[in-house]
Amino acid sequence: MKKLPLKKAFMLLEPGPVILVTTSAGGKNNIMTISWHKVMDFTPQFALLTGPCNLSYEALVKTRECVIAVPTVDLSRKVVRIGTCSGSDTDKFEKFDFTPLKAKAVQAPLIKECLANIECRVTDHVAKHGIFVLAGVQAWIDPGRKERGTIHANGDGTFVVDGRRINHRRLMLSKLPPGV
Amino acid sequence: MKKLPLKKAFMLLEPGPVILVTTSAGGKNNIMTISWHKVMDFTPQFALLTGPCNLSYEALVKTRECVIAVPTVDLSRKVVRIGTCSGSDTDKFEKFDFTPLKAKAVQAPLIKECLANIECRVTDHVAKHGIFVLAGVQAWIDPGRKERGTIHANGDGTFVVDGRRINHRRLMLSKLPPGV
């Protein structure tokens, strides 16, 4: 993993891919799969939506930090299976053969096998709506990774893989944040 | 536009496409382009993030309703251009040759040329974070539309178009909401 400028981190989540979120509480690493997230600011700031029905929620409330890892299509079966079991009785890193890497600013681990990782701190919790507000503090990317296509959940168990790219930079210049 | 069961409406937004949001305030229709949204519930409930720097924000606060329209890749240039001009001096329906259709439950219009439309009511406004919480009340889809591929913003003026689909329904059955 190589450092990615923080001002570019929002670009990993803006397209809306399915992500993994790692936490570490009580010396125990965990991973959850989530599709309900959104960019809130270029700083970067993200909103993550999850409720008290899972172990990661407890860890987010308790530790107020996490890592957002961006998986690619070659990992899609693992990503789905991670979302259908619980960290309460499963060591997900071991079960799914993922390698935890030490993060720089948070206790939660990076996932070596993912395309990118963003270390985040919880800056607010809008409990009424189940929204965690996250500030990215350090971002990493695997520049050598061959497969870079992410997946987008349709909500019915099917997923759309990234297809072709189109470029409207010239049309959008007035709206682009500096440095991207 | 044909009716789409409301319980399936979240599937239009879960993959994270760029959307258009229409409002109608003071007898004036408007459209904004937005990528910062997320599904909050299958009911369906959505979060939309926008600040007081635009006319649509004022209309959302005032009327407490809107329509989320889902454009496809053939409309991508219009979608970008809609996002770079203001409703304060532009009739965007006229300028971009979009046809407003009468909605059933809200004053804001549907966009005929889009793949789908979701009529929404604002149920909460978390002003601190610029989040509008929306409840979908009526959904529509154009079943005959040929181009159905949506676009996802990368944040730098480039976009990813929907590519191939993969099916993990069997792996995910335990987590799917009923009826999708």
Side-chain angles (χ1 to χ4, degrees):
Chain A
M1 288 281 155
K2 289 208 168 174
K3 275 193 188 177
L4 175 75
L6 210 48
K7 66 183 172 193
K8 290 194 174 183
F10 82 94
M11 293 176 59
L12 295 165
L13 302 196
E14 174 115 1
V18 178
I19 57 172
L20 298 172
V21 174
T22 80
T23 48
S24 182
K28 203 173 158 186
N29 293 336
N30 196 17
I31 317 174
M32 75 169 160
T33 300
I34 198 161
S35 182
W36 295 2
H37 61 81
K38 92 172 169 285
V39 170
M40 297 178 72
D41 197 352
F42 302 118
T43 46
Q45 190 166 271
F46 311 106
L48 198 70
L49 197 133
T50 189
C53 54
N54 64 63
L55 206 68
S56 299
Y57 175 92
E58 287 173 38
L60 283 166
V61 169
K62 193 174 158 190
T63 66
R64 297 187 72 85
E65 50 180 51
C66 65
V67 167
I68 293 176
V70 183
T72 45
V73 59
D74 50 317
L75 302 173
S76 69
R77 285 183 66 86
K78 287 189 184 187
V79 167
V80 170
R81 290 176 66 214
I82 285 168
T84 55
C85 65
S86 170
S88 60
D89 55 14
T90 310
D91 178 334
K92 298 197 192 180
F93 275 93
E94 193 180 286
K95 179 168 182 177
F96 298 105
D97 206 19
F98 274 167
T99 314
L101 297 178
K102 201 171 157 41
K104 191 179 167 195
V106 300
Q107 290 295 315
L110 316 179
I111 302 178
K112 187 187 171 192
E113 288 76 11
C114 284
L115 170 64
N117 287 271
I118 309 170
E119 302 180 26
C120 296
R121 294 226 172 80
V122 175
T123 56
D124 199 6
H125 181 206
V126 186
K128 181 182 174 189
H129 294 299
I131 295 170
F132 287 94
V133 179
L134 307 178
V137 291
Q138 177 77 51
W140 308 91
I141 195 152
D142 182 349
R145 206 176 193 293
K146 247 184 172 171
E147 177 59 71
R148 304 181 84 79
T150 65
I151 56 170
H152 304 260
N154 291 320
D156 62 351
T158 67
F159 297 80
V160 178
V161 185
D162 289 345
R164 66 189 171 92
R165 264 166 202 261
I166 51 178
N167 189 334
H168 289 318
R169 270 183 81 84
R170 276 184 59 192
L171 279 179
M172 257 188 87
L173 275 181
S174 66
K175 291 285 182 179
L176 296 179
V180 302
Chain B
M1 290 279 157
K2 289 208 168 174
K3 275 193 188 177
L4 175 75
L6 210 49
K7 66 183 172 193
K8 290 194 175 182
F10 82 95
M11 293 176 59
L12 295 165
L13 302 195
E14 173 114 3
V18 178
I19 57 173
L20 299 171
V21 174
T22 80
T23 48
S24 181
K28 202 173 158 186
N29 293 336
N30 195 17
I31 317 174
M32 77 169 158
T33 300
I34 197 161
S35 183
W36 294 3
H37 62 82
K38 92 172 168 288
V39 171
M40 296 178 73
D41 197 350
F42 302 118
T43 47
Q45 191 165 269
F46 312 106
L48 198 71
L49 199 134
T50 190
C53 55
N54 64 63
L55 206 67
S56 300
Y57 174 93
E58 286 173 40
L60 283 166
V61 167
K62 193 174 156 191
T63 66
R64 297 187 73 84
E65 50 180 50
C66 65
V67 167
I68 294 177
V70 183
T72 45
V73 58
D74 50 317
L75 302 173
S76 68
R77 285 183 66 87
K78 286 189 184 185
V79 168
V80 169
R81 290 175 65 212
I82 285 169
T84 54
C85 66
S86 170
S88 61
D89 56 15
T90 309
D91 179 334
K92 298 196 191 181
F93 275 92
E94 192 181 287
K95 179 167 182 178
F96 297 106
D97 205 18
F98 275 165
T99 314
L101 297 179
K102 199 170 159 42
K104 190 179 167 196
V106 300
Q107 289 297 316
L110 316 179
I111 302 179
K112 186 186 173 194
E113 288 75 11
C114 284
L115 171 63
N117 287 272
I118 308 170
E119 302 180 27
C120 297
R121 293 226 172 81
V122 176
T123 56
D124 200 5
H125 181 206
V126 187
K128 181 182 174 188
H129 295 299
I131 295 171
F132 287 94
V133 179
L134 307 178
V137 291
Q138 178 77 50
W140 306 91
I141 195 151
D142 183 349
R145 206 175 193 295
K146 247 185 173 172
E147 178 60 72
R148 304 181 83 80
T150 65
I151 55 170
H152 304 260
N154 291 318
D156 63 351
T158 67
F159 297 80
V160 178
V161 185
D162 289 345
R164 66 189 171 94
R165 266 166 200 260
I166 52 178
N167 190 335
H168 289 317
R169 269 182 82 83
R170 278 183 59 192
L171 279 178
M172 259 188 86
L173 275 182
S174 65
K175 291 285 182 180
L176 296 179
V180 300

